[in-house]
Amino acid sequence: DAKTTQPNSMESNEEEPVHLPCNHSTISGTDYIHWYRQLPSQGPEYVIHGLTSNVNNRMASLAIAEDRKSSTLILHRATLRDAAVYYCILSPRFGNEKLTFGTGTRLTIIP
Amino acid sequence: SQTIHQWPATLVQPVGSPLSLECTVEGTSNPNLYWYRQAAGRGLQLLFYSVGIGQISSEVPQNLSASRPQDRQFILSSKKLLLSDSGFYLCAWRAGRGNTEAFFGQGTRLTVV
């Protein structure tokens, strides 16, 4: 299975943009890149996903490198409620249906 | 709309006792179903997943088993709990693979004493 690598932790100031990186150098051409976040004592929630092009939704933006070996989740204006663990995972279009999470990045927002 | 129910929210069980956690999904059919465990301060470990009734894939050989007796019901069981089974157990579903998102339940916090 293709793996992802993320920094263990990051800090950001409130009301500033946050760029969360993810490396996935062994990604296959049909793997989707998904991002989830987990607030304390809750289950993860979906944030965004993409395949090749950059994506925007109401929560965040996803920037995908041209060679698809890395991606960046962008929170445009961090709030205290964005403090969470952010997971970058690969979701194959073909093959088995398992969904594997890594350890993610713990994002701390400084007031 | 689709919803996922997971219960109980918290559970304290003695070592050696059995376990049964249930997860049900509403508003969809033939979902892929997943059980995860999260130890304190750790990441999500995939335990089992199922693509249909009676079809279970095990990711980690251990003291647990899973069953899917109905299309939208996923059960996690153990005959004899160990201290190391303590953790936060999460059920999730998704409609397919690839570009479909997963939806998680609120989780069960299990403490084995």
Side-chain angles (χ1 to χ4, degrees), chain A residues 55-84:
Chain A
V55 184
N56 299 297
N57 66 20
R58 63 174 181 81
M59 291 182 70
S61 295
L62 175 60
I64 301 173
E66 194 170 337
D67 63 5
R68 299 204 337 119
K69 293 184 176 183
S70 65
S71 61
T72 302
L73 180 70
I74 303 167
L75 307 179
H76 294 286
R77 192 166 171 268
T79 69
L80 295 178
R81 288 174 293 180
D82 292 321

Side-chain angles (χ1 to χ4, degrees), chain A residues 1 30 32 34 36 38 41-46 49 87 91-103 106, chain B residues 32 34 36 38 41-44 46 49 51 59 88 90 94 96-107 109:
Chain A
D1 299 332
T30 53
Y32 286 84
H34 285 233
Y36 290 79
Q38 185 178 20
S41 298
Q42 294 187 27
E45 63 173 344
Y46 166 82
H49 78 273
Y87 298 96
S91 179
R93 184 176 178 184
F94 305 109
N96 64 48
E97 283 87 352
K98 69 179 181 179
L99 200 60
T100 305
F101 286 71
T103 53
R106 182 173 299 277
Chain B
N32 292 337
Y34 304 83
Y36 293 87
Q38 188 170 37
R42 307 291 293 274
L44 288 162
L46 178 62
Y49 68 98
V51 300
E59 285 297 295
F88 191 43
L90 288 155
R94 65 192 300 212
R97 59 165 74 92
N99 63 344
T100 60
E101 62 190 269
F103 299 90
F104 284 79
Q106 289 302 300
R109 190 162 302 283

Side-chain angles (χ1 to χ4, degrees), chain A residues 10-18 20 37 75 77-84 86 106-111:
Chain A
M10 291 183 63
E11 288 185 349
S12 180
N13 293 320
E14 192 177 11
E15 299 186 2
E16 291 187 355
V18 182
L20 296 163
R37 73 178 187 181
L75 307 179
R77 192 166 171 268
T79 69
L80 295 178
R81 288 174 293 180
D82 292 321
Y86 287 79
R106 182 173 299 277
L107 176 65
T108 301
I109 304 298
I110 302 168

Side-chain angles (χ1 to χ4, degrees), chain B residues 16-72:
Chain B
S17 64
L19 173 73
S20 181
L21 300 180
E22 187 166 344
C23 172
T24 60
V25 181
E26 295 178 357
T28 187
S29 59
N30 197 32
N32 292 337
L33 296 171
Y34 304 83
W35 276 113
Y36 293 87
R37 177 171 63 195
Q38 188 170 37
R42 307 291 293 274
L44 288 162
Q45 180 187 34
L46 178 62
L47 301 175
F48 303 95
Y49 68 98
S50 171
V51 300
I53 296 174
Q55 300 179 61
I56 308 295
S57 296
S58 174
E59 285 297 295
V60 184
Q62 55 197 337
N63 188 40
L64 302 169
S65 63
S67 62
R68 183 171 177 174
Q70 299 181 43
D71 181 43
R72 289 168 289 178

